[in-house]
Amino acid sequence: MDFKFVWEHLPSLLRGLQTTVSVSLILLVLVNVVGVLGALARTSRIKLLRWVTAAYVEIARNVPELVQIYFVFFVLPSLGYKFSAYTCGIIAMTFFGGGYFIEVYRSGLEAVPKTQFEAATSLALTRFQRMRHVIFPQALRICLPALNGYFLYLVRSTSLLAAIGISEATFVAQDIIAIYFHPFEMFTAVAVLYLLIVWSLSFALRRLENKLKYEL
């Protein structure tokens, strides 16, 4: 293990890690928005809306993530939709991540006892008020552990974006290896960096989960 070599190239790896973090933070917002809206559609009384959302979930969850990334990056431009590699990565990961989050939120909503819906209705609350003040807080407490797990999975999956040239940590390591041929040092360093960031996120999310457990 050439620690001097790792130290010399650590700034480059950290710049790549910044991209990993920025993608992860954007995904944290987008997949939750898609998850909540999709879960509401999945539990809607409109049959067509339920079918369309169910089809999206099946595609997002059953097509390999790398295939979806390649589809957005290579196929959409041929249809006239041209985006940067960074944007393509965000779109693709939001698409397949949203499929998982929809199912988690849906399961949380369906796990709330029907008596809670009936009680909220008896108080003459609107549908939005019922969801905002009664149903959703309970559903969030139920599904929060699964949401945290899937988000950490998405953070790890950002390494797939190296396949379309996004300069995240894995891509930077591959670039350095192609020049200096030090795969052991570089991939070990990347593994340690991912371990640190995922462990830190996991710790923070567990603290948040424990806090909301008593507040919601």
Side-chain angles (χ1 to χ4, degrees):
M1 184 69 177
D2 189 346
F3 290 101
K4 181 180 179 181
F5 181 83
V6 174
W7 182 256
E8 289 174 351
H9 293 88
L10 187 60
S12 298
L13 290 177
L14 291 178
R15 284 193 294 272
L17 195 65
Q18 287 179 344
T19 303
T20 299
V21 172
S22 70
V23 170
S24 299
L25 292 177
I26 294 171
L27 288 175
L28 176 62
V29 176
L30 294 180
V31 294
N32 276 287
V33 171
V34 173
V36 172
L37 296 179
L40 294 175
R42 285 278 276 158
T43 56
S44 170
R45 296 177 182 177
I46 304 173
K47 186 177 295 186
L48 178 61
L49 195 57
R50 295 201 306 270
W51 286 353
V52 171
T53 312
Y56 159 60
V57 169
E58 291 302 315
I59 294 171
R61 296 177 67 187
N62 294 314
V63 176
E65 289 87 347
L66 188 57
V67 174
Q68 296 182 50
I69 292 172
Y70 280 150
F71 184 92
V72 174
F73 187 70
F74 291 110
V75 178
L76 289 188
S78 67
L79 300 176
Y81 302 99
K82 296 182 179 180
F83 305 101
S84 66
Y86 187 89
T87 302
C88 287
I90 294 293
I91 293 172
M93 295 199 68
T94 300
F95 185 85
F96 68 73
Y100 288 100
F101 273 60
I102 286 173
E103 285 300 279
V104 174
Y105 276 113
R106 179 191 61 80
S107 64
L109 291 173
E110 293 182 347
V112 177
K114 291 184 178 180
T115 52
Q116 297 296 308
F117 289 87
E118 295 169 355
T121 303
S122 68
L123 295 174
L125 298 178
T126 64
R127 177 175 172 78
F128 176 79
Q129 289 174 329
R130 291 198 300 268
M131 295 301 300
R132 168 66 180 85
H133 298 290
V134 180
I135 307 303
F136 189 76
Q138 297 182 64
L140 181 60
R141 183 169 55 188
I142 293 169
C143 62
L144 193 58
L147 292 174
N148 292 342
Y150 278 122
F151 175 63
L152 294 176
Y153 165 74
L154 285 177
V155 173
R156 295 193 300 271
S157 296
T158 57
S159 61
L160 295 174
L161 299 180
I164 58 173
I166 295 178
S167 297
E168 48 76 57
T170 305
F171 180 86
V172 172
Q174 291 174 336
D175 201 31
I176 295 172
I177 291 169
I179 298 173
Y180 300 100
F181 200 70
H182 280 262
F184 178 69
E185 287 83 358
M186 284 296 96
F187 283 128
T188 300
V190 169
V192 171
L193 290 175
Y194 267 105
L195 179 63
L196 290 174
I197 190 171
V198 173
W199 181 86
S200 300
L201 283 171
S202 178
F203 177 78
L205 291 172
R206 282 199 304 269
R207 292 288 299 271
L208 176 64
E209 181 183 329
N210 291 331
K211 182 179 180 181
L212 294 181
K213 185 185 299 182
Y214 300 103
E215 292 184 359
L216 293 177

